Amino acid sequence: MDAQEKIRAQVTANPVVLYMKGTPQFPQCGFSSVAAQILKACGVNNYVSVDVLSDPEIREGIKTYANWPTIPQLYINGEFVGGADIMREMYQNGELQKMLPKAA
Amino acid sequence: MMLSARQVQEYIQQGLACDHVEVQGEDGQHFEAVVVSPEFVGKNMVQQHQLVYRALGDRMRQEIHALSLRTFTPETWASVND
């Protein structure tokens, strides 16, 4: 299975997937840390997080998958939602809270 | 040579028709940008950010470690500046 197929399988098999650097407990980048904190603030605990630092193929493949060059990346029900800035904006205007509970 | 906020601003302006671009960031790797472009009209946030990333091309993968983005259409920009 190549990286694109692997990513497709991950985001379709799980309602909420966060690709990040490090883990929610030990994030390795400020933006990834913000993304994990936003999910926590939305009350989502049972999401799947993928540490791209532990898998170079996923780390590069995820940039191509959504045509998005940066990490973190949030997927809900297989759809790319955005990176840290978009997550923050959607959290501030309440859109993210509406999307998440239905999915998680 | 270290990348400056001004260079990032020029790269964005070269690749995207903008009414206004403001870039901040001192360390050569982390930048914050506000971009106002008529090309954002009718596009969602993901598509707007993708247009900025496209303007930056490979620089986004190589030189720039992090770019925090806020995008506005000319209309929404006018309303936040009222």
Side-chain angles (χ1 to χ4, degrees), chain A residues 21 31 60 63-64 66-70 80-82 85-86 88-90, chain B residues 30-31 45-47 49-50 53 57 60-61 65-71:
Chain A
K21 292 181 180 171
F31 291 88
E60 277 316 303
K63 297 176 181 175
T64 314
N67 188 24
W68 194 260
T70 59
F80 173 61
V81 175
D85 295 327
I86 290 178
R88 183 162 40 205
E89 214 159 313
M90 290 179 71
Chain B
H30 300 74
F31 299 94
M45 254 191 295
V46 168
Q47 293 165 332
H49 287 212
Q50 277 169 336
Y53 292 144
M60 202 56 224
R61 283 166 179 257
H65 170 72
L67 176 67
S68 182
L69 268 180
R70 288 170 71 210
T71 51

mmCIF file of all heavy atoms in Angstrom, chain A residues 21 31 60 63-64 66-70 80-82 85-86 88-90, chain B residues 30-31 45-47 49-50 53 57 60-61 65-71:
data_model
loop_
_atom_site.group_PDB
_atom_site.id
_atom_site.type_symbol
_atom_site.label_atom_id
_atom_site.label_comp_id
_atom_site.label_asym_id
_atom_site.label_seq_id
_atom_site.Cartn_x
_atom_site.Cartn_y
_atom_site.Cartn_z
ATOM 1 N N LYS A 21 2.801 16.841 14.274
ATOM 2 C CA LYS A 21 4.173 16.522 14.653
ATOM 3 C C LYS A 21 4.173 16.222 16.145
ATOM 4 O O LYS A 21 3.827 17.077 16.953
ATOM 5 C CB LYS A 21 5.099 17.691 14.340
ATOM 6 C CG LYS A 21 5.245 17.910 12.833
ATOM 7 C CD LYS A 21 6.179 19.057 12.509
ATOM 8 C CE LYS A 21 6.282 19.220 10.999
ATOM 9 N NZ LYS A 21 7.002 20.451 10.625
ATOM 10 N N PHE A 31 2.259 24.691 16.239
ATOM 11 C CA PHE A 31 1.007 24.634 15.477
ATOM 12 C C PHE A 31 0.266 23.319 15.754
ATOM 13 O O PHE A 31 -0.956 23.301 15.880
ATOM 14 C CB PHE A 31 1.271 24.784 13.984
ATOM 15 C CG PHE A 31 1.738 26.159 13.606
ATOM 16 C CD1 PHE A 31 3.078 26.485 13.639
ATOM 17 C CD2 PHE A 31 0.828 27.135 13.219
ATOM 18 C CE1 PHE A 31 3.516 27.758 13.302
ATOM 19 C CE2 PHE A 31 1.253 28.409 12.878
ATOM 20 C CZ PHE A 31 2.604 28.725 12.918
ATOM 21 N N GLU A 60 5.503 13.256 3.925
ATOM 22 C CA GLU A 60 5.524 13.855 2.594
ATOM 23 C C GLU A 60 4.196 13.630 1.878
ATOM 24 O O GLU A 60 3.658 14.525 1.232
ATOM 25 C CB GLU A 60 6.678 13.266 1.762
ATOM 26 C CG GLU A 60 8.016 13.936 2.021
ATOM 27 C CD GLU A 60 7.928 15.466 2.073
ATOM 28 O OE1 GLU A 60 7.469 16.066 1.080
ATOM 29 O OE2 GLU A 60 8.303 16.060 3.107
ATOM 30 N N LYS A 63 1.121 15.942 2.386
ATOM 31 C CA LYS A 63 1.164 17.268 1.735
ATOM 32 C C LYS A 63 0.552 17.197 0.339
ATOM 33 O O LYS A 63 -0.104 18.136 -0.115
ATOM 34 C CB LYS A 63 2.602 17.772 1.666
ATOM 35 C CG LYS A 63 3.205 17.983 3.040
ATOM 36 C CD LYS A 63 4.667 18.398 2.964
ATOM 37 C CE LYS A 63 5.234 18.570 4.364
ATOM 38 N NZ LYS A 63 6.675 18.863 4.334
ATOM 39 N N THR A 64 0.768 16.089 -0.325
ATOM 40 C CA THR A 64 0.205 15.892 -1.662
ATOM 41 C C THR A 64 -1.280 15.548 -1.571
ATOM 42 O O THR A 64 -2.079 15.994 -2.392
ATOM 43 C CB THR A 64 0.934 14.723 -2.372
ATOM 44 O OG1 THR A 64 2.332 14.901 -2.192
ATOM 45 C CG2 THR A 64 0.610 14.676 -3.846
ATOM 46 N N ALA A 66 -3.842 16.374 0.273
ATOM 47 C CA ALA A 66 -4.837 17.456 0.304
ATOM 48 C C ALA A 66 -4.332 18.705 -0.423
ATOM 49 O O ALA A 66 -4.949 19.760 -0.326
ATOM 50 C CB ALA A 66 -5.181 17.806 1.744
ATOM 51 N N ASN A 67 -3.209 18.571 -1.161
ATOM 52 C CA ASN A 67 -2.598 19.745 -1.786
ATOM 53 C C ASN A 67 -2.411 20.847 -0.743
ATOM 54 O O ASN A 67 -2.822 21.989 -0.938
ATOM 55 C CB ASN A 67 -3.465 20.211 -2.963
ATOM 56 C CG ASN A 67 -2.783 21.310 -3.757
ATOM 57 O OD1 ASN A 67 -1.557 21.430 -3.752
ATOM 58 N ND2 ASN A 67 -3.571 22.146 -4.416
ATOM 59 N N TRP A 68 -1.803 20.473 0.353
ATOM 60 C CA TRP A 68 -1.645 21.376 1.506
ATOM 61 C C TRP A 68 -0.244 21.154 2.057
ATOM 62 O O TRP A 68 0.071 20.044 2.514
ATOM 63 C CB TRP A 68 -2.704 21.006 2.566
ATOM 64 C CG TRP A 68 -2.903 22.014 3.635
ATOM 65 C CD1 TRP A 68 -2.383 21.988 4.884
ATOM 66 C CD2 TRP A 68 -3.713 23.190 3.556
ATOM 67 N NE1 TRP A 68 -2.807 23.081 5.592
ATOM 68 C CE2 TRP A 68 -3.623 23.838 4.796
ATOM 69 C CE3 TRP A 68 -4.490 23.777 2.551
ATOM 70 C CZ2 TRP A 68 -4.292 25.024 5.065
ATOM 71 C CZ3 TRP A 68 -5.156 24.954 2.826
ATOM 72 C CH2 TRP A 68 -5.052 25.569 4.062
ATOM 73 N N PRO A 69 0.626 22.183 2.010
ATOM 74 C CA PRO A 69 2.051 21.925 2.280
ATOM 75 C C PRO A 69 2.450 21.894 3.748
ATOM 76 O O PRO A 69 3.628 21.714 4.046
ATOM 77 C CB PRO A 69 2.730 23.097 1.566
ATOM 78 C CG PRO A 69 1.730 24.192 1.624
ATOM 79 C CD PRO A 69 0.371 23.546 1.574
ATOM 80 N N THR A 70 1.495 22.115 4.655
ATOM 81 C CA THR A 70 1.906 22.218 6.060
ATOM 82 C C THR A 70 1.171 21.211 6.949
ATOM 83 O O THR A 70 0.146 20.657 6.582
ATOM 84 C CB THR A 70 1.651 23.646 6.603
ATOM 85 O OG1 THR A 70 0.262 23.945 6.467
ATOM 86 C CG2 THR A 70 2.460 24.678 5.839
ATOM 87 N N PHE A 80 -10.810 16.834 4.166
ATOM 88 C CA PHE A 80 -9.814 17.749 4.717
ATOM 89 C C PHE A 80 -10.510 19.026 5.190
ATOM 90 O O PHE A 80 -11.253 19.648 4.430
ATOM 91 C CB PHE A 80 -8.768 18.075 3.651
ATOM 92 C CG PHE A 80 -7.797 19.135 4.075
ATOM 93 C CD1 PHE A 80 -6.977 18.935 5.172
ATOM 94 C CD2 PHE A 80 -7.698 20.324 3.375
ATOM 95 C CE1 PHE A 80 -6.069 19.912 5.573
ATOM 96 C CE2 PHE A 80 -6.792 21.309 3.762
ATOM 97 C CZ PHE A 80 -5.982 21.091 4.862
ATOM 98 N N VAL A 81 -10.304 19.377 6.456
ATOM 99 C CA VAL A 81 -10.961 20.554 7.031
ATOM 100 C C VAL A 81 -10.044 21.766 7.015
ATOM 101 O O VAL A 81 -10.446 22.878 6.672
ATOM 102 C CB VAL A 81 -11.433 20.265 8.479
ATOM 103 C CG1 VAL A 81 -12.001 21.513 9.129
ATOM 104 C CG2 VAL A 81 -12.467 19.150 8.490
ATOM 105 N N GLY A 82 -8.762 21.568 7.372
ATOM 106 C CA GLY A 82 -7.842 22.700 7.365
ATOM 107 C C GLY A 82 -6.641 22.449 8.254
ATOM 108 O O GLY A 82 -6.499 21.383 8.857
ATOM 109 N N ASP A 85 -4.495 27.363 11.428
ATOM 110 C CA ASP A 85 -5.150 28.681 11.338
ATOM 111 C C ASP A 85 -6.644 28.538 11.096
ATOM 112 O O ASP A 85 -7.455 29.229 11.696
ATOM 113 C CB ASP A 85 -4.564 29.502 10.175
ATOM 114 C CG ASP A 85 -3.104 29.852 10.410
ATOM 115 O OD1 ASP A 85 -2.728 30.055 11.570
ATOM 116 O OD2 ASP A 85 -2.366 29.923 9.418
ATOM 117 N N ILE A 86 -6.993 27.634 10.182
ATOM 118 C CA ILE A 86 -8.406 27.435 9.849
ATOM 119 C C ILE A 86 -9.142 26.803 11.030
ATOM 120 O O ILE A 86 -10.257 27.190 11.364
ATOM 121 C CB ILE A 86 -8.539 26.590 8.557
ATOM 122 C CG1 ILE A 86 -8.076 27.442 7.372
ATOM 123 C CG2 ILE A 86 -9.969 26.096 8.352
ATOM 124 C CD1 ILE A 86 -8.085 26.745 6.032
ATOM 125 N N ARG A 88 -8.430 27.237 14.121
ATOM 126 C CA ARG A 88 -8.622 28.290 15.126
ATOM 127 C C ARG A 88 -9.784 29.203 14.732
ATOM 128 O O ARG A 88 -10.638 29.525 15.543
ATOM 129 C CB ARG A 88 -7.327 29.102 15.289
ATOM 130 C CG ARG A 88 -7.428 30.160 16.375
ATOM 131 C CD ARG A 88 -6.071 30.634 16.819
ATOM 132 N NE ARG A 88 -5.190 30.778 15.664
ATOM 133 C CZ ARG A 88 -3.867 30.707 15.724
ATOM 134 N NH1 ARG A 88 -3.267 30.485 16.852
ATOM 135 N NH2 ARG A 88 -3.139 30.861 14.639
ATOM 136 N N GLU A 89 -9.823 29.568 13.458
ATOM 137 C CA GLU A 89 -10.888 30.459 13.006
ATOM 138 C C GLU A 89 -12.258 29.769 13.129
ATOM 139 O O GLU A 89 -13.233 30.382 13.563
ATOM 140 C CB GLU A 89 -10.617 30.874 11.551
ATOM 141 C CG GLU A 89 -11.068 32.287 11.272
ATOM 142 C CD GLU A 89 -10.380 32.881 10.051
ATOM 143 O OE1 GLU A 89 -9.145 32.762 9.945
ATOM 144 O OE2 GLU A 89 -11.090 33.456 9.212
ATOM 145 N N MET A 90 -12.311 28.474 12.769
ATOM 146 C CA MET A 90 -13.583 27.749 12.833
ATOM 147 C C MET A 90 -13.999 27.473 14.275
ATOM 148 O O MET A 90 -15.185 27.368 14.571
ATOM 149 C CB MET A 90 -13.469 26.425 12.063
ATOM 150 C CG MET A 90 -13.382 26.620 10.572
ATOM 151 S SD MET A 90 -13.208 25.049 9.708
ATOM 152 C CE MET A 90 -14.842 24.377 9.938
ATOM 153 N N HIS B 30 9.633 31.478 10.598
ATOM 154 C CA HIS B 30 8.231 31.562 11.011
ATOM 155 C C HIS B 30 7.679 32.923 10.613
ATOM 156 O O HIS B 30 8.239 33.949 11.000
ATOM 157 C CB HIS B 30 8.097 31.404 12.528
ATOM 158 C CG HIS B 30 8.614 30.096 13.047
ATOM 159 N ND1 HIS B 30 9.954 29.823 13.134
ATOM 160 C CD2 HIS B 30 7.973 28.997 13.480
ATOM 161 C CE1 HIS B 30 10.110 28.592 13.615
ATOM 162 N NE2 HIS B 30 8.916 28.063 13.827
ATOM 163 N N PHE B 31 6.585 32.893 9.862
ATOM 164 C CA PHE B 31 6.007 34.146 9.393
ATOM 165 C C PHE B 31 4.510 34.182 9.646
ATOM 166 O O PHE B 31 3.859 33.137 9.741
ATOM 167 C CB PHE B 31 6.266 34.319 7.893
ATOM 168 C CG PHE B 31 7.721 34.360 7.551
ATOM 169 C CD1 PHE B 31 8.377 33.203 7.166
ATOM 170 C CD2 PHE B 31 8.427 35.538 7.653
ATOM 171 C CE1 PHE B 31 9.734 33.229 6.870
ATOM 172 C CE2 PHE B 31 9.791 35.573 7.360
ATOM 173 C CZ PHE B 31 10.449 34.411 6.958
ATOM 174 N N MET B 45 -12.141 28.902 2.916
ATOM 175 C CA MET B 45 -10.848 29.207 3.543
ATOM 176 C C MET B 45 -9.724 28.298 3.052
ATOM 177 O O MET B 45 -8.606 28.751 2.827
ATOM 178 C CB MET B 45 -10.982 29.073 5.063
ATOM 179 C CG MET B 45 -11.022 30.399 5.780
ATOM 180 S SD MET B 45 -10.861 30.202 7.561
ATOM 181 C CE MET B 45 -12.352 29.314 7.959
ATOM 182 N N VAL B 46 -10.042 27.000 2.894
ATOM 183 C CA VAL B 46 -9.021 26.057 2.420
ATOM 184 C C VAL B 46 -8.528 26.488 1.031
ATOM 185 O O VAL B 46 -7.322 26.561 0.779
ATOM 186 C CB VAL B 46 -9.576 24.611 2.374
ATOM 187 C CG1 VAL B 46 -8.633 23.692 1.611
ATOM 188 C CG2 VAL B 46 -9.799 24.084 3.786
ATOM 189 N N GLN B 47 -9.460 26.817 0.146
ATOM 190 C CA GLN B 47 -9.072 27.208 -1.217
ATOM 191 C C GLN B 47 -8.285 28.527 -1.214
ATOM 192 O O GLN B 47 -7.361 28.699 -2.004
ATOM 193 C CB GLN B 47 -10.337 27.347 -2.083
ATOM 194 C CG GLN B 47 -11.036 26.006 -2.311
ATOM 195 C CD GLN B 47 -12.452 26.167 -2.838
ATOM 196 O OE1 GLN B 47 -13.121 27.161 -2.593
ATOM 197 N NE2 GLN B 47 -12.911 25.165 -3.578
ATOM 198 N N HIS B 49 -6.326 29.668 1.241
ATOM 199 C CA HIS B 49 -4.965 29.389 1.720
ATOM 200 C C HIS B 49 -4.156 28.637 0.648
ATOM 201 O O HIS B 49 -2.965 28.892 0.479
ATOM 202 C CB HIS B 49 -4.997 28.582 3.020
ATOM 203 C CG HIS B 49 -5.432 29.373 4.219
ATOM 204 N ND1 HIS B 49 -4.971 29.139 5.492
ATOM 205 C CD2 HIS B 49 -6.304 30.401 4.317
ATOM 206 C CE1 HIS B 49 -5.544 29.997 6.334
ATOM 207 N NE2 HIS B 49 -6.360 30.758 5.641
ATOM 208 N N GLN B 50 -4.835 27.742 -0.079
ATOM 209 C CA GLN B 50 -4.130 27.008 -1.142
ATOM 210 C C GLN B 50 -3.601 27.952 -2.217
ATOM 211 O O GLN B 50 -2.534 27.723 -2.775
ATOM 212 C CB GLN B 50 -5.064 25.959 -1.770
ATOM 213 C CG GLN B 50 -5.101 24.675 -0.953
ATOM 214 C CD GLN B 50 -6.197 23.717 -1.375
ATOM 215 O OE1 GLN B 50 -7.190 24.138 -1.954
ATOM 216 N NE2 GLN B 50 -6.025 22.441 -1.074
ATOM 217 N N TYR B 53 -0.421 29.351 -0.829
ATOM 218 C CA TYR B 53 0.614 28.317 -0.864
ATOM 219 C C TYR B 53 1.108 28.099 -2.288
ATOM 220 O O TYR B 53 2.297 27.890 -2.522
ATOM 221 C CB TYR B 53 0.082 26.991 -0.303
ATOM 222 C CG TYR B 53 -0.209 27.008 1.178
ATOM 223 C CD1 TYR B 53 -1.287 26.307 1.689
ATOM 224 C CD2 TYR B 53 0.606 27.707 2.059
ATOM 225 C CE1 TYR B 53 -1.558 26.304 3.051
ATOM 226 C CE2 TYR B 53 0.336 27.708 3.417
ATOM 227 C CZ TYR B 53 -0.750 27.002 3.912
ATOM 228 O OH TYR B 53 -1.008 26.995 5.250
ATOM 229 N N GLY B 57 4.829 28.254 -3.775
ATOM 230 C CA GLY B 57 5.390 27.073 -4.428
ATOM 231 C C GLY B 57 6.333 26.284 -3.537
ATOM 232 O O GLY B 57 6.028 26.028 -2.372
ATOM 233 N N MET B 60 7.517 27.016 0.132
ATOM 234 C CA MET B 60 6.697 26.607 1.267
ATOM 235 C C MET B 60 7.206 25.287 1.843
ATOM 236 O O MET B 60 7.088 25.037 3.033
ATOM 237 C CB MET B 60 5.260 26.467 0.765
ATOM 238 C CG MET B 60 4.213 26.552 1.824
ATOM 239 S SD MET B 60 4.292 28.043 2.791
ATOM 240 C CE MET B 60 4.046 27.332 4.415
ATOM 241 N N ARG B 61 7.758 24.441 0.997
ATOM 242 C CA ARG B 61 8.262 23.147 1.475
ATOM 243 C C ARG B 61 9.697 23.251 1.971
ATOM 244 O O ARG B 61 10.117 22.487 2.827
ATOM 245 C CB ARG B 61 8.224 22.118 0.343
ATOM 246 C CG ARG B 61 6.842 21.575 0.055
ATOM 247 C CD ARG B 61 6.851 20.849 -1.268
ATOM 248 N NE ARG B 61 5.538 20.290 -1.572
ATOM 249 C CZ ARG B 61 5.223 19.005 -1.432
ATOM 250 N NH1 ARG B 61 6.119 18.146 -1.013
ATOM 251 N NH2 ARG B 61 4.021 18.577 -1.726
ATOM 252 N N HIS B 65 9.422 27.451 7.284
ATOM 253 C CA HIS B 65 9.001 26.391 8.207
ATOM 254 C C HIS B 65 7.528 26.550 8.577
ATOM 255 O O HIS B 65 6.783 25.586 8.640
ATOM 256 C CB HIS B 65 9.859 26.389 9.462
ATOM 257 C CG HIS B 65 9.313 25.478 10.522
ATOM 258 N ND1 HIS B 65 9.375 24.114 10.410
ATOM 259 C CD2 HIS B 65 8.656 25.739 11.683
ATOM 260 C CE1 HIS B 65 8.794 23.567 11.475
ATOM 261 N NE2 HIS B 65 8.340 24.527 12.253
ATOM 262 N N ALA B 66 7.124 27.780 8.823
ATOM 263 C CA ALA B 66 5.747 27.981 9.268
ATOM 264 C C ALA B 66 5.218 29.324 8.791
ATOM 265 O O ALA B 66 5.908 30.335 8.867
ATOM 266 C CB ALA B 66 5.672 27.904 10.782
ATOM 267 N N LEU B 67 3.998 29.291 8.306
ATOM 268 C CA LEU B 67 3.358 30.517 7.841
ATOM 269 C C LEU B 67 1.940 30.527 8.387
ATOM 270 O O LEU B 67 1.125 29.683 8.035
ATOM 271 C CB LEU B 67 3.326 30.542 6.305
ATOM 272 C CG LEU B 67 2.599 31.713 5.653
ATOM 273 C CD1 LEU B 67 3.327 33.018 5.905
ATOM 274 C CD2 LEU B 67 2.452 31.480 4.154
ATOM 275 N N SER B 68 1.702 31.471 9.277
ATOM 276 C CA SER B 68 0.358 31.608 9.812
ATOM 277 C C SER B 68 -0.398 32.569 8.905
ATOM 278 O O SER B 68 0.070 33.668 8.624
ATOM 279 C CB SER B 68 0.461 32.152 11.243
ATOM 280 O OG SER B 68 -0.817 32.251 11.800
ATOM 281 N N LEU B 69 -1.559 32.133 8.412
ATOM 282 C CA LEU B 69 -2.249 32.882 7.363
ATOM 283 C C LEU B 69 -3.609 33.387 7.790
ATOM 284 O O LEU B 69 -4.381 32.660 8.413
ATOM 285 C CB LEU B 69 -2.497 31.958 6.161
ATOM 286 C CG LEU B 69 -1.477 31.887 5.047
ATOM 287 C CD1 LEU B 69 -1.965 30.909 3.993
ATOM 288 C CD2 LEU B 69 -1.235 33.246 4.432
ATOM 289 N N ARG B 70 -3.902 34.633 7.410
ATOM 290 C CA ARG B 70 -5.278 35.141 7.496
ATOM 291 C C ARG B 70 -5.610 35.734 6.147
ATOM 292 O O ARG B 70 -4.895 36.598 5.654
ATOM 293 C CB ARG B 70 -5.405 36.181 8.609
ATOM 294 C CG ARG B 70 -5.336 35.544 9.995
ATOM 295 C CD ARG B 70 -5.222 36.582 11.075
ATOM 296 N NE ARG B 70 -6.476 37.312 11.221
ATOM 297 C CZ ARG B 70 -6.539 38.585 11.631
ATOM 298 N NH1 ARG B 70 -5.442 39.250 11.905
ATOM 299 N NH2 ARG B 70 -7.706 39.170 11.773
ATOM 300 N N THR B 71 -6.684 35.237 5.541
ATOM 301 C CA THR B 71 -7.029 35.671 4.185
ATOM 302 C C THR B 71 -8.367 36.408 4.194
ATOM 303 O O THR B 71 -9.288 36.053 4.935
ATOM 304 C CB THR B 71 -7.123 34.462 3.241
ATOM 305 O OG1 THR B 71 -7.970 33.473 3.816
ATOM 306 C CG2 THR B 71 -5.756 33.846 2.990
#
